[in-house]
């Protein structure tokens, strides 16, 4: 089992969703959101392809396999660029790039930073990794590894976000 940024995000939202996704139970289909996100990359930063490199990075923390796919990495300046189509800044975006910064560190690349770019907001946020973040990520991947290895699916959370979750019908079939 390999832990990536998606699982970290899902774990922070709902343990059940994280477990379902990690165990290969998928309800998502190709959505306009996914397509729009791809398109945004192609139209917002067309010059990037030549200047930067998409990079897959993997790592291992205490026997736990980790992987990440960084959209654009400027190896000379040691800067990760991550573009978001969202019209709001979200903590999950920050944790995604912090996870990538940690992965780089696990591969011996120290002192990298990340730029979170929001073309719709005309806003760019710089993200750095601090000791507290490292500790949080170390604990989180250990907890995810335990959760995913469990044979029991966690209980549903009965939260507002359930209505927009792709597992809604699966989780609440008895109430539909
Ligand atoms: S519908 Fe709610 S409980 Fe079920 S996986 Fe989604 S967020 Fe979790």
């Amino acid at each position: 089992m390999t832990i990536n940024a998606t699982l970290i995000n899902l774990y922070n939202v709902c343990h059940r969703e994280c477990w379902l996704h990690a165990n290969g139970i998928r309800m998502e289909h190709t959505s306009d959101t996914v397509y729009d996100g791809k398109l945004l990359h192609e139209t917002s930063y067309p010059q990037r392809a030549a200047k930067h490199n998409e990079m897959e990075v993997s790592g291992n923390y205490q026997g736990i396999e980790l992987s990440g796919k960084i959209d654009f990495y400027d190896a000379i300046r040691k800067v990760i660029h991550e573009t978001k189509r969202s019209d709001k800044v979200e903590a999950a975006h920050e944790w995604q790039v912090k996870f990538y910064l940690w992965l780089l560190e696990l591969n011996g690349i120290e002192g990298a930073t990340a730029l979170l770019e929001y073309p719709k907001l005309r806003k760019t946020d710089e993200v750095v990794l601090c000791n507290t973040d490292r500790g949080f990520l170390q604990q989180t991947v250990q907890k995810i590894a335990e959760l995913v290895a469990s044979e029991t699916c966690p209980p549903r959370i009965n939260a507002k976000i359930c209505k927009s979750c792709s597992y809604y019908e699966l989780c609440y079939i008895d109430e539909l």
Side-chain angles (χ1 to χ4, degrees):
M1 145 103 268
T2 302
I3 293 175
N4 57 22
T6 301
L7 282 186
I8 291 179
N9 183 32
L10 294 181
Y11 181 83
N12 289 330
V13 173
C14 169
H15 292 187
R16 182 179 173 91
E17 190 175 0
C18 181
W19 187 95
L20 288 165
H21 186 88
N23 283 286
I25 301 160
R26 303 286 162 80
M27 308 295 280
E28 303 101 318
H29 48 82
T30 307
S31 69
D32 288 342
T33 307
V34 172
Y35 176 73
D36 287 353
K38 185 172 181 290
L39 195 66
L40 190 76
H41 271 305
E42 288 163 1
T43 55
S44 301
Y45 303 100
Q47 77 284 17
R48 280 269 171 79
K51 283 168 57 184
H52 301 273
N53 297 312
E54 194 176 84
M55 193 166 87
E56 293 216 23
V57 58
S58 56
N60 187 297
Y61 177 71
Q62 299 202 346
I64 302 166
E65 294 296 327
L66 311 169
S67 78
K69 192 170 177 186
I70 298 172
D71 282 346
F72 297 102
Y73 180 61
D74 181 340
I76 295 167
R77 293 179 181 81
K78 295 208 284 190
V79 179
I80 290 169
H81 293 260
E82 178 71 28
T83 308
K84 295 297 179 195
R85 70 181 300 280
S86 165
D87 54 11
K88 66 175 190 231
V89 175
E90 289 177 29
H93 302 158
E94 208 172 295
W95 281 112
Q96 179 186 0
V97 291
K98 283 181 176 176
F99 176 63
Y100 295 160
L101 290 171
W102 183 46
L103 273 178
L104 290 181
E105 282 190 357
L106 290 173
N107 282 278
I109 301 171
E110 307 271 342
T113 58
L115 291 176
L116 264 175
E117 298 160 338
Y118 295 88
K120 279 191 182 174
L121 300 172
R122 297 179 187 277
K123 180 177 167 53
T124 299
D125 288 341
E126 185 179 30
V127 180
V128 295
L129 190 71
C130 70
N131 264 337
T132 312
D133 299 328
R134 270 180 214 99
F136 177 81
L137 286 166
Q138 287 163 358
Q139 277 186 4
T140 303
V141 298
Q142 284 175 316
K143 286 182 194 163
I144 293 172
E146 281 168 30
L147 175 85
V148 169
S150 162
E151 288 189 1
T152 315
C153 181
R156 59 195 189 190
I157 58 173
N158 294 310
K160 209 169 157 186
I161 53 152
C162 291
K163 292 228 160 125
S164 55
C165 175
S166 61
Y167 294 110
Y168 181 72
E169 287 185 18
L170 179 82
C171 291
Y172 295 94
I173 193 142
D174 55 338
E175 293 182 10
L176 294 173

